[in-house]
């Protein structure tokens, strides 16, 4: 057997397969979220005498979170546009901005959770709060995971440049980021907006 | 330091301890043998780190065989208890131990035996049947297997450290809540299912891409072999259903570990939501098991009837219809929930509807046999037994789709007999059928026919003896999970017949072991040098047995449904092929490492050893990053190497 560094003949196929596979993975993740959304819908009014969404949700803070995440989706899109034209500087810069915005969003959610817990409204208080914390928490975990992978892939881009492997990974990362953003839109509408009415 | 894990966890009664000790002895024996024969390097480099789908398939087979042995022992212990525990006598098992046995039996047989053999079959056959050299994501495939193996290992660990769940194989709350099951049993169940389920989900994604993107030139969707079609639809079901399991088991975990109230009976929790969610996964899961078996039968019947498959297109649509309906029947598992007559009628009707495409398949196989020149080989005998047993099981399934009837037999042994008829008769017979048929492809020699026939005979009649009495017992009112009954019920003779049936099945398993041994001993006479011992119709028979690392020296091109059959009967394919360098994935140990670390993660969470859980998570990510930063993941098989391997083909 011989060693080769590059396999030009297989890259195209590999890239296609990865995108398609990653898409399917995202769809499975959607179903996971759908299950959590369904559970939330069932348990929405099961406050067990405790406070519900109307009393707990701070809509201006949530709007801020939504705006932060929307902006990060936009910057992530700008980074994605720079990938096929091999603009390494732009890719790194826009992903760095995306990272900062994502981190801000994550910290905002943590603060929101912190306030709830401080007031004694933990996930142990009622089924409604269990479902709320799990749903929003799962989304926050996705954002955290996205942040970790932004760092990892940016390190790879700085070390290895925009080669097919890193381009492929960055594109998957963008899909993941947009996916998390889309899930948040549902969260904003179903959990928060419908929660306060 | 060690959370809930104290010395008490290692204390067991005599029977439990003897199981634990024998597992330990077996492990020590394996370690000793590997060291004695200096096989550690071989084990690591050739097997554990392999990303070759053919080797991964064989590892699935080995794990499933071990788990089948365990599941059968569980079954035997339950049969013995029900035989002995009548009236004044209370048998030899304590009630908690008996509860663990039926839970472990169900969990083992569904998650680790049935899913294991299905994964093995899909792994081995799909790339070969679509004319591909490998799967879409070879590393992911290795990772899937090791997650599956790690789930298995957790279940086995529960035999030695602590105990297993006693709540039944789907762990209904509120019984499975911390309040009513305070020990580690349910946590063992959750994590063994959760980790192996993650593996299954990754397999689903991987093979879905493989089938849709990596078929050889000329193989349109409607030219795919039926097994590939069955796998494709199965994988769609996996991709849709398993995230529900992940989420549901995740919520149960949160209920048990951090005190949320999804499924508790207080604080607004809703236990019936769990039952709905688990069956929203669980019913598609049933079809995830049976569809690949249908695919196997669809491959075997044409070959041994020496005719092409009757009604290919209707077979495809039947599978698709079954998969669609699979998501619309989950409520028939709990008509007794009290959802009301309209809801129950809808789900009952959908359930009846599913028997239509299933019937289409049965009749298509029979029509394939009609006027064919049938060769009664062992695989064909398995198929014929399947038709009888599965039809019995299917018919009484339709009976139970009538909600008022179901109210009578809900949770009775009638139900137990029903799903054993379809799972043993369908999935297990299908696997045995396929295993016998593809054995020469995997190992290069045929299995002994005579001992195989004895095994079929014992399994078939053993099954009838073991489960027909259960139908009667169910109608007489015997419930599932019963470890003691009154003598005046008059059930004893029927339980005795069932126990006798179990012994006959054991004889069948004995014959299978003997068959493997004798076939191995006489392998020189039964060697398959052609690569096509059965006069097969699909592409896997066009390559050598066992296939080389790269499956096909030249990627085949098909022009017809039975691609290889057409090739054999046209004169054009004889010219000397021109070889090229073949690029293949390199072996990697990261799949194995992540599997081991996820075992530790599961174990740590079960016992509340939080530092270990954190370390394992960090370790898993470290392995993942190592893999992402690895630049040398692929390699070439040179033309000379391919020529050398191909020149040896057919020579012993």
């Amino acid at each position: 057997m011989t060693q080769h560094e590059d396999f030009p003949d297989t890259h195209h196929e590999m890239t296609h397969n990865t995108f398609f596979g990653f898409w399917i993975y995202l769809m499975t993740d959607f179903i996971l979220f759908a299950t959590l959304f369904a559970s939330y819908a069932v348990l929405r009014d099961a406050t067990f005498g405790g406070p519900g969404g109307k009393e707990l949700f701070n809509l201006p803070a949530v709007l801020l979170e939504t705006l932060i995440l929307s902006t990060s989706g936009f910057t992530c899109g700008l980074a994605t546009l720079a990938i096929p034209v091999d603009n390494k500087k732009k890719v790194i810069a826009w992903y760095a901005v995306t990272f900062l915005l994502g981190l801000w969003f994550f910290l905002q959610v943590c603060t929101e959770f912190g306030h709830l817990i401080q007031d004694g409204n933990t996930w142990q208080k009622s089924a409604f709060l269990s479902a709320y914390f799990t749903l929003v928490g799962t989304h926050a975990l996705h954002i955290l995971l996205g942040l970790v992978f932004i760092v990892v892939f940016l390190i790879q881009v700085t070390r290895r440049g925009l080669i097919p492997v890193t381009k492929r990974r960055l594109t998957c990362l963008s899909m993941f980021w947009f996916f998390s953003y889309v899930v948040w839109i549902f969260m904003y509408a179903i959990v928060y907006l419908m929660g306060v009415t | 330091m060690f959370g809930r894990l104290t010395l008490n966890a290692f204390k067991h009664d005599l029977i439990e301890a003897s199981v634990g000790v024998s597992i330990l002895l077996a492990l020590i024996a394996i370690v000793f043998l590997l060291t004695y024969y200096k096989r550690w390097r071989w084990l690591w480099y050739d097997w554990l780190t392999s990303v070759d789908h053919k080797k991964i398939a064989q590892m699935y087979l080995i794990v499933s065989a071990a788990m089948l042995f365990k599941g059968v022992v569980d079954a035997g212990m339950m049969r013995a208890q029900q035989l002995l525990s009548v009236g004044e006598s209370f048998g030899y098992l304590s009630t908690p131990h008996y509860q663990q046995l039926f839970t472990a039996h169900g969990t083992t047989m569904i998650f680790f035996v049935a899913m294991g053999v299905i994964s093995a079959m899909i792994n081995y056959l799909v790339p070969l049947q679509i004319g591909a050299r490998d799967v879409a994501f070879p590393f992911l495939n290795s990772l899937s297997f090791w997650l599956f193996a790690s789930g298995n290992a957790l279940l086995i660990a529960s035999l030695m450290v602590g105990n297993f769940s006693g709540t039944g194989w789907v762990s209904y709350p509120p019984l499975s809540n911390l309040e009513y099951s305070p020990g580690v049993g349910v946590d063992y169940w959750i994590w063994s299912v959760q980790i192996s389920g993650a593996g299954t989900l990754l397999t689903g994604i991987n093979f879905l891409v493989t089938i849709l993107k990596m078929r050889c030139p000329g193989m349109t969707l409607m030219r795919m072999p039926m097994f590939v079609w069955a796998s494709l639809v199965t994988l769609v079901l996996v991709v849709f259903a398993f995230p529900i399991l992940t989420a549901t088991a995740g919520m149960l975990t949160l209920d048990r570990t951090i005190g949320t109230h999804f499924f508790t009976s207080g604080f607004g929790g809703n236990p019936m939501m769990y039952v709905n969610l688990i069956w929203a996964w669980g019913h598609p899961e049933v079809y995830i098991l049976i569809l690949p078996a249908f695919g196997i039968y669809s491959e075997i019947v044409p070959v041994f009837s020496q005719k092409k498959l009757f009604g290919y297109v209707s077979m495809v649509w039947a599978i698709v219809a079954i998969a669609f309906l699979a998501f619309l029947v989950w409520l028939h598992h709990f008509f007794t929930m009290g959802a009301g007559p309209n809801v129950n009628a809808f789900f009952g009707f959908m359930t009846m509807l599913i028997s239509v495409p299933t019937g289409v398949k049965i009749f298509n196989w029979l029509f394939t046999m009609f006027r064919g020149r049938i060769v009664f080989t062992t695989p064909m005998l398995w198929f014929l037994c399947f038709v009888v047993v599965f039809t019995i099981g299917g018919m009484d399934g339709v009976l139970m789709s009538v909600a008022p009837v179901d109210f009578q037999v809900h949770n009775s042994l009638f139900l137990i007999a029903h799903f054993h008829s379809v799972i043993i008769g369908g999935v297990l017979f299908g696997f045995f059928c396929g295993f016998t048929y593809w054995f020469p492809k995997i190992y290069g020699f045929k299995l002994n026919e005579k001992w195989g026939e004895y095994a079929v005979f014992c399994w078939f009649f053993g099954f009838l003896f073991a489960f027909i009495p259960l139908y009667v017992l169910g109608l007489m009112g015997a419930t599932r999970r019963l470890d003691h009954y009154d003598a005046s019920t008059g059930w004893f003779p029927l339980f005795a017949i069932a126990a006798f049936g179990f012994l006959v099945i054991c004889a069948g398993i004995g014959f299978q072991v003997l068959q493997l041994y004798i076939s191995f001993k006489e392998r020189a006479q039964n060697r398959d040098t052609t690569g096509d011992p059965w006069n097969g119709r699909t592409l896997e028979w066009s390559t050598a047995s066992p296939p080389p690392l790269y499956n096909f020296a030249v990627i085949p091109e098909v022009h017809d449904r039975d691609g290889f059959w057409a090739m054999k009967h046209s004169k054009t394919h004889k010219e000397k092929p021109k070889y090229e360098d073949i690029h293949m994935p390199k072996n990697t140990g990261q799949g194995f490492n992540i599997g081991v670390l996820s075992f530790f993660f599961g174990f740590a969470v079960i016992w509340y050893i939080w530092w270990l859980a954190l370390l394992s998570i960090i370790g898993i990510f470290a392995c993942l990053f190592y893999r992402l930063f690895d630049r040398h993941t692929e390699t070439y098989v040179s033309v000379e190497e391919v020529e050398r391997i191909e020149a040896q083909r057919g020579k012993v």
Side-chain angles (χ1 to χ4, degrees):
Chain A
M1 292 199 184
T2 50
Q3 288 287 337
H4 291 246
E5 175 72 286
D6 283 305
F7 304 94
D9 59 320
T10 59
H11 271 144
H12 185 70
E13 184 190 309
M14 184 65 194
T15 304
H16 256 44
N17 288 353
T18 308
F19 289 164
F20 184 50
F22 200 77
W23 249 108
I24 298 175
Y25 152 72
L26 289 181
M27 293 308 105
T28 65
D29 223 359
F30 246 132
I31 294 168
L32 187 127
F33 272 110
T35 312
L36 294 178
F37 269 111
S39 309
Y40 176 82
V42 170
L43 300 175
R44 206 176 76 123
D45 299 320
T47 52
F48 202 61
K54 212 169 184 172
E55 292 84 47
L56 294 177
F57 296 151
N58 177 6
L59 270 195
V62 181
L63 182 63
L64 178 67
E65 282 165 16
T66 310
L67 289 176
I68 297 169
L69 202 60
S70 314
T71 319
S72 85
F74 180 65
T75 55
C76 181
L78 291 178
T80 315
L81 286 178
I83 297 173
V85 293
D86 291 317
N87 193 333
K88 189 173 153 184
K89 267 189 197 150
K90 259 193 182 170
V91 168
I92 294 177
W94 284 121
Y95 268 117
V97 175
T98 310
F99 176 85
L100 290 176
L101 288 168
L103 190 65
W104 187 12
F105 171 84
F106 183 73
L107 294 176
Q108 280 289 331
V109 175
C110 289
T111 330
E112 196 191 332
F113 277 12
H115 285 311
L116 286 174
I117 294 167
Q118 257 173 4
D119 297 342
N121 296 315
T122 66
W123 51 83
Q124 297 184 343
K125 195 159 182 181
S126 70
F128 155 70
L129 280 166
S130 303
Y132 167 77
F133 272 102
T134 307
L135 182 53
V136 179
T138 307
H139 179 263
L141 271 182
H142 276 71
I143 294 291
L144 185 64
L145 209 64
L147 292 177
V148 171
F149 278 95
I150 290 180
V151 173
V152 172
F153 291 155
L154 281 192
I155 293 174
Q156 289 195 333
V157 171
T158 43
R159 280 172 50 173
R160 298 170 68 179
L162 282 172
I163 56 170
V165 179
T166 48
K167 280 181 170 180
R168 191 170 75 216
R169 287 177 184 165
L170 284 176
T171 311
C172 286
L173 181 66
S174 302
M175 285 201 257
F176 184 79
W177 199 262
F178 295 138
F179 162 78
S180 306
Y181 171 56
V182 169
V183 171
W184 180 260
I185 296 300
F186 283 98
M187 204 87 78
Y188 185 57
I190 294 175
V191 176
Y192 292 104
L193 290 185
M194 286 165 74
V196 293
T197 50
Chain B
M1 178 77 183
F2 291 108
R4 287 198 273 183
L5 185 61
T6 57
L7 278 179
N8 267 334
F10 297 91
K11 284 183 193 150
H12 291 99
D13 70 30
L14 194 65
I15 298 170
E16 289 171 318
S18 62
V19 176
V21 169
S22 31
I23 292 168
L24 276 183
L25 286 178
L27 283 178
I28 292 168
I30 291 170
V31 170
F32 174 77
L33 285 175
L34 283 170
T35 315
Y36 186 79
Y37 289 106
K38 299 199 172 71
R39 280 306 182 92
W40 283 105
R41 288 180 66 82
W42 164 81
L43 181 72
W44 178 256
Y45 288 108
D46 280 12
W47 289 93
L48 302 189
T49 61
S50 178
V51 292
D52 179 2
H53 69 96
K54 301 182 285 297
K55 285 192 169 163
I56 290 173
Q58 290 173 56
M59 291 196 282
Y60 270 113
L61 282 182
I62 291 166
V63 173
S64 299
M67 294 310 273
L68 178 64
F69 175 74
K70 181 195 175 293
V72 169
V73 171
D74 288 343
M77 288 172 81
M78 285 190 282
R79 277 278 145 272
Q81 171 75 5
Q82 286 180 328
L83 196 62
L84 298 172
S85 181
V86 198
E88 298 296 300
S89 155
F90 282 85
Y92 68 109
L93 292 173
S94 64
T95 302
H97 191 184
Y98 185 81
Q99 287 166 346
Q100 288 178 43
L101 271 179
F102 65 65
T103 308
H105 173 76
T107 311
T108 306
M109 288 304 201
I110 298 288
F111 286 96
F112 301 130
V113 178
M115 286 308 284
V117 297
I118 294 308
S119 305
M121 282 302 188
I122 292 180
N123 254 285
Y124 203 92
L125 292 171
V126 163
L128 284 170
Q129 288 200 325
I130 61 173
R133 288 195 170 128
D134 209 323
V135 299
F137 311 111
F139 164 66
L140 199 64
N141 200 17
S142 152
L143 178 62
S144 298
F145 169 73
W146 286 111
L147 290 175
F148 168 78
S150 135
N152 282 264
L154 272 178
L155 194 149
I156 296 293
S158 77
L159 293 170
M160 290 172 277
V161 190
N163 47 36
F164 197 64
S165 163
T167 54
W169 79 279
V170 279
S171 289
Y172 281 179
L175 179 58
S176 61
N177 283 151
L178 200 57
E179 197 179 349
Y180 303 104
S181 299
V184 291
V186 178
D187 299 297
Y188 265 119
W189 178 85
I190 289 174
W191 286 101
S192 59
V193 165
Q194 190 71 296
I195 293 174
S196 69
T200 307
L201 184 57
L202 294 180
T203 302
I205 296 171
N206 200 348
F207 279 85
L208 205 53
V209 178
T210 307
I211 295 177
L212 289 176
K213 290 279 187 184
M214 293 176 70
R215 298 189 309 278
C216 66
M219 187 175 283
T220 57
L221 283 176
M222 281 319 230
R223 281 183 192 158
M224 294 197 306
M226 274 314 289
F227 180 76
V228 180
W229 256 114
S231 304
L232 176 68
V233 175
T234 303
L235 298 165
V236 171
L237 286 177
V238 166
V239 160
F240 274 105
F242 268 77
I244 308 179
L245 175 70
T246 308
T248 310
M251 287 187 268
L252 188 62
T253 314
L254 293 178
D255 271 6
R256 290 181 58 87
T257 42
I258 67 165
T260 56
H261 297 288
F262 284 103
F263 310 126
T264 54
S265 27
F267 294 90
N270 190 340
M272 276 326 281
M273 187 169 76
Y274 178 91
V275 179
N276 275 281
L277 287 175
I278 199 80
W279 285 114
W281 157 81
H283 199 85
E285 164 71 7
V286 175
Y287 291 98
I288 290 167
L289 298 179
I290 195 67
L291 287 182
F294 285 175
I296 290 171
Y297 297 126
S298 306
E299 294 293 317
I300 274 142
V301 175
V303 168
F304 293 115
S305 304
Q306 309 192 46
K307 265 176 75 188
K308 71 174 180 155
L309 185 70
F310 183 90
Y312 176 95
V313 180
S314 63
M315 283 299 225
V316 171
W317 283 107
I319 299 180
V320 175
I322 291 174
F324 177 72
L325 292 172
F327 282 99
L328 294 174
V329 296
W330 80 89
L331 197 125
H332 71 207
H333 294 268
F334 46 96
F335 279 140
T336 49
M337 175 172 79
N342 290 336
V343 174
N344 280 358
F346 172 80
F347 283 95
F349 180 69
M350 285 296 148
T351 309
M352 290 176 209
L353 213 56
I354 236 174
S355 66
V356 176
T358 316
V360 166
K361 298 191 76 68
I362 300 267
F363 281 113
N364 278 349
W365 290 316
L366 296 182
F367 284 132
T368 307
M369 289 167 68
F370 181 63
R371 290 199 174 151
R373 286 173 176 270
I374 300 170
V375 193
F376 285 99
T377 52
T378 324
M380 202 59 191
L381 296 179
W382 283 117
F383 166 75
L384 293 172
C385 295
F386 148 79
V387 172
V388 176
V389 175
F390 188 83
T391 307
I392 297 174
M395 295 292 274
D396 55 63
V398 175
L399 182 67
M400 280 189 294
S401 72
V402 182
V405 178
D406 182 76
F407 273 53
Q408 294 302 313
V409 291
H410 182 79
N411 267 352
S412 74
L413 288 183
F414 189 88
L415 167 80
I416 301 291
H418 157 69
F419 72 68
H420 281 85
S421 296
V422 285
I423 292 182
I424 294 182
V427 183
L428 203 63
F429 283 12
F431 165 68
F432 289 149
C433 171
F435 182 71
T436 321
Y437 176 65
W438 279 293
F439 187 88
K441 181 50 61 186
I442 307 177
Y443 295 103
F445 57 93
K446 274 188 178 180
L447 281 174
N448 186 300
E449 280 286 315
K450 189 177 78 179
W451 294 101
E453 283 163 17
Y454 291 165
V456 179
F457 186 81
C458 288
W459 262 101
F460 179 63
F461 286 100
F463 176 86
L464 294 180
F465 276 114
F467 289 97
I468 297 295
L470 262 56
Y471 281 115
V472 184
L473 279 167
L475 292 176
M476 288 164 80
T479 60
R480 71 201 298 193
R481 301 167 190 185
L482 184 78
D483 69 332
H484 180 78
Y485 53 93
D486 202 81
S488 64
T489 51
W491 295 342
F492 178 76
L494 288 166
F495 274 118
I497 297 173
F500 168 73
F502 174 78
L503 291 179
V504 179
I505 290 178
C506 285
I509 296 175
F511 284 131
Q512 285 176 308
V513 175
L514 212 59
Q515 181 196 25
L516 283 175
Y517 173 71
I518 288 170
S519 312
F520 180 72
K521 235 178 74 181
E522 296 173 347
R523 65 191 181 282
Q525 290 103 290
N526 299 319
R527 193 143 341 242
D528 166 35
T529 50
T530 58
D532 180 23
W534 307 108
N535 196 10
R537 311 175 76 87
T538 38
L539 284 179
E540 75 271 27
W541 302 110
S542 72
T543 184
S545 306
L549 170 72
Y550 45 76
N551 291 354
F552 300 96
V554 177
I555 294 289
E557 199 179 326
V558 295
H559 305 284
D560 212 334
R561 251 171 217 161
D562 291 331
F564 181 49
W565 188 262
M567 271 181 217
K568 277 195 285 193
H569 292 85
S570 72
K571 300 279 182 279
T572 47
H573 75 294
K574 298 287 179 197
E575 57 194 86
K576 170 119 174 63
K578 211 169 143 341
Y579 300 129
E580 282 177 336
D581 285 355
I582 297 173
H583 104 280
M584 295 301 292
K586 257 186 167 171
N587 286 1
T588 165
Q590 297 318 318
F592 177 80
N593 293 344
I594 294 177
V596 171
L597 286 165
S598 54
F599 171 83
F600 282 120
F601 175 75
F603 189 82
V605 178
I606 289 165
W607 290 99
Y608 300 167
I609 312 173
W610 301 116
W611 58 268
L612 182 61
L614 190 68
L615 274 185
S616 318
I617 280 284
I618 293 172
I620 288 171
F621 273 94
C623 291
L624 214 57
F625 294 150
Y626 179 87
R627 172 73 192 172
L628 284 174
F629 279 90
D630 193 355
R631 291 174 192 224
H632 306 284
T633 56
E634 291 182 2
T635 179
Y636 260 99
V637 185
S638 65
V639 176
E640 299 80 50
E641 183 90 1
V642 176
E643 268 169 359
R644 196 180 57 75
I645 294 173
E646 290 301 306
Q648 275 177 349
R649 183 177 164 177
K651 292 172 194 157
V652 180

